[in-house]
Amino acid sequence: MRLPPVASRPAAGYLTIKGGAQADTLLKAEAPFAGRVELHAMKSEGGIMKMIQQDKIDVPANGTVTLAPGGMHLMFFDLKNPPAAGAKATVTLTFAKAGAVSVPVEVRAVTGEPAAKDHGSHH
Ligand SMILES: [Cu+2]
């Protein structure tokens, strides 16, 4: 998870989801420190990267879905007492078949690279 450059901005989260024997679908994500968590994808439109909210993220059987900068990610809105950089936080992912899965996330400060700045400016 990457903290926003400004506290009032949403934070972004990245992770890798490994599919099991059956295909599954990520339906939602929740975190105790965020009022709402959205599933986002990035799409290039006329050379500008735009974030598009997704209803779900499909995880193919035995496949891997990577949420990474420049692609799909979690977006944490309305941060309340956001965890500090270096801290550990927990995010709960709800899948259609696997149900709720809690995953530990590492909290990092923004590195100042252009991708992170562009990201925040879309909100
Ligand atoms: Cu986003």
Side-chain angles (χ1 to χ4, degrees), residues 18-23 59-64:
K18 289 206 168 86
Q22 280 188 306
V59 182
N62 301 309
T64 300

Side-chain angles (χ1 to χ4, degrees), residues 20-52:
Q22 280 188 306
D24 209 339
T25 305
L26 173 60
L27 299 174
K28 65 171 178 173
E30 292 165 292
F33 53 84
R36 142 178 139 257
V37 187
E38 290 183 1
L39 311 175
H40 280 186
M42 301 283 272
K43 193 180 157 205
S44 179
E45 250 175 46
I48 299 164
M49 292 301 280
K50 287 191 170 176
M51 297 202 289
I52 318 232

Side-chain angles (χ1 to χ4, degrees), residues 40 51 73 75 119 123:
H40 280 186
M51 297 202 289
H73 55 276
M75 206 94 210
H119 198 102
H123 286 280

